[in-house]
Amino acid sequence: MSLGILFPGQGSQSIGMLKDLKSSYSIVSEVFEEASDILSYDLWKITKNGPESKINDTEFTQPIMLCSALAVWKIWNDEGGESPIYMAGHSFGEYTALCASGAIKFKDAVNLVKKRALCMKAAPKGKMAALIGIDLHKLKSICEENTLSEVSIANLNAPGQIVISGTEDGVSQLSDLALSNNAKKVIPLPVSVAAHSSLMKEQSIIFEEFIADININKPSIPVVNNVDVVTEENQKKIKDALVRQLFSSVRWVETIEYIEQQGVDTMLELGPGKVLTSFNKRIDNSIKSLSVSDSSSLEVALETLSSL
């Protein structure tokens, strides 16, 4: 058995997540307390109590998701869980993967995701929507035929699920065109930031200046990046990919296929929710996929992988 570990991005957060793990494992409190000291506010209080508007505010969501997924990774290691041969994170989750692999120190990761979130909020307001039941080739053709420059293909999550991002008009226009070309459904996403779109380019320059002062080491476990679907060891190349990630597509389908091609036959999602596990089943239903988000799923994953 060869294991790949995946970390979720924004969208998997929920009020009260990790509550039962926190009661059983002190490492959860330690991770959140360290981050709270860096940020100068109580991160766990928001995670536990919300309100929903706050936990879904990207400024708070990103450090919360970093701490949540990283705490689960630490628990997995402490419980003797199988070590992975590859890692990846969906969108923002790539920062968690780089931190878990030892490439970025925790303090630097917290500061990085704080700056990333603030840059995203400072970008022009936009809109995002998930298009269900339309393939990438068809969507690209629609964009080219209609010269749509104010909307981007943001996430290639799974066959038949593509997220678009851009100005409100651009997203609305492409959504209508997708429906008229037999897309099954358009699901507007509850966000005000146009992640992974050209609206992020100006802020990416500011983020690039900030990340220049952060030290990034060679990952101890290869991390497949979202932008180029490759693993990088060079600090400059890792930083460049993180900067471009702000305005580039998350190539998740290709990421999972790449990890499989390296010999990984089992995928484990660590952190709140199980969105990536559901994506995996749609990308390749033959690959074994599990998730750990609470005590019961941790027990199941440990038992299942120890028997393989």
Side-chain angles (χ1 to χ4, degrees):
M1 188 269 293
S2 296
L3 181 66
I5 282 184
L6 310 174
F7 295 101
Q10 287 186 236
S12 293
Q13 70 277 2
S14 62
I15 296 172
M17 61 188 184
L18 262 65
K19 184 170 63 176
D20 71 325
L21 287 174
K22 185 175 183 290
S23 65
S24 301
Y25 298 95
S26 61
I27 191 67
V28 178
S29 295
E30 292 168 14
V31 169
F32 273 85
E33 285 168 9
E34 185 177 349
S36 295
D37 288 343
I38 296 166
L39 297 167
S40 300
Y41 60 81
D42 191 336
L43 200 60
W44 179 255
K45 185 178 179 181
I46 300 169
T47 307
K48 181 183 177 183
N49 302 322
E52 194 168 325
S53 59
K54 199 162 190 177
I55 198 172
N56 289 336
D57 183 331
T58 190
E59 180 179 345
F60 302 105
T61 307
Q62 294 194 29
I64 284 170
M65 286 300 296
L66 172 73
C67 291
S68 298
L70 195 66
V72 178
W73 161 249
K74 288 177 178 290
I75 292 168
W76 178 256
N77 282 315
D78 289 348
E79 290 299 305
E82 182 76 21
S83 295
I85 62 170
Y86 277 86
M87 285 183 167
H90 187 278
S91 184
F92 155 79
E94 191 172 310
Y95 289 80
T96 313
L98 287 167
C99 190
S101 71
I104 303 176
K105 291 180 180 178
F106 180 63
K107 180 180 180 180
D108 290 335
V110 172
N111 284 318
L112 266 178
V113 301
K114 175 186 175 183
K115 184 64 175 180
R116 181 181 188 268
L118 291 174
C119 284
M120 290 174 71
K121 287 182 72 172
K125 299 300 179 191
K127 189 176 178 181
M128 299 180 74
L131 307 183
I132 310 300
I134 190 166
D135 66 62
L136 179 60
H137 177 73
K138 182 64 177 176
L139 195 61
K140 283 184 174 179
S141 295
I142 293 170
C143 289
E144 289 169 6
E145 289 167 9
N146 293 275
T147 322
L148 299 179
S149 60
E150 295 187 336
V151 62
S152 305
I153 295 171
N155 298 3
L156 305 169
N157 287 333
Q161 192 194 104
I162 299 170
V163 174
I164 59 173
S165 178
T167 65
E168 187 167 349
D169 287 345
V171 170
S172 296
Q173 188 178 356
L174 183 52
S175 296
D176 290 343
L177 286 166
L179 287 171
S180 66
N181 280 271
N182 301 318
K184 293 180 181 177
K185 189 188 295 186
V186 173
I187 305 173
L189 303 184
V191 296
S192 60
V193 294
H196 308 294
S197 80
S198 58
L199 294 182
M200 292 289 154
K201 283 195 173 179
E202 188 174 330
Q203 285 296 317
S204 74
I205 297 169
I206 295 169
F207 184 70
E208 184 175 21
E209 293 170 355
F210 183 84
I211 201 173
D213 294 328
I214 301 292
N215 184 56
I216 297 182
N217 301 308
K218 174 185 174 182
S220 61
I221 301 163
V223 175
V224 184
N225 72 36
N226 291 182
V227 173
D228 304 310
V229 194
V230 297
T231 59
E232 298 287 6
E233 298 181 352
N234 177 273
Q235 176 174 215
K236 185 178 179 181
K237 289 183 177 180
I238 293 172
K239 289 180 178 180
D240 176 64
L242 290 175
V243 171
R244 286 186 290 123
Q245 189 204 73
L246 278 170
F247 57 81
S248 300
S249 300
V250 175
R251 297 163 61 187
W252 193 248
V253 173
E254 293 170 85
T255 296
I256 296 303
E257 291 172 344
Y258 177 88
I259 293 174
E260 285 187 274
Q261 289 162 9
Q262 310 316 305
V264 170
D265 54 23
T266 305
M267 303 277 190
L268 179 64
E269 178 181 3
L270 298 182
K274 44 189 176 184
V275 171
L276 303 183
T277 304
S278 67
F279 288 165
N280 289 350
K281 291 175 181 177
R282 294 172 63 184
I283 294 168
D284 183 355
N285 197 36
S286 69
I287 195 162
K288 190 167 192 63
S289 294
L290 301 99
S291 62
V292 174
S293 58
D294 54 26
S295 296
S296 60
S297 56
L298 172 64
E299 186 178 343
V300 169
L302 288 167
E303 289 180 3
T304 301
L305 297 191
S306 67
S307 66
L308 294 178

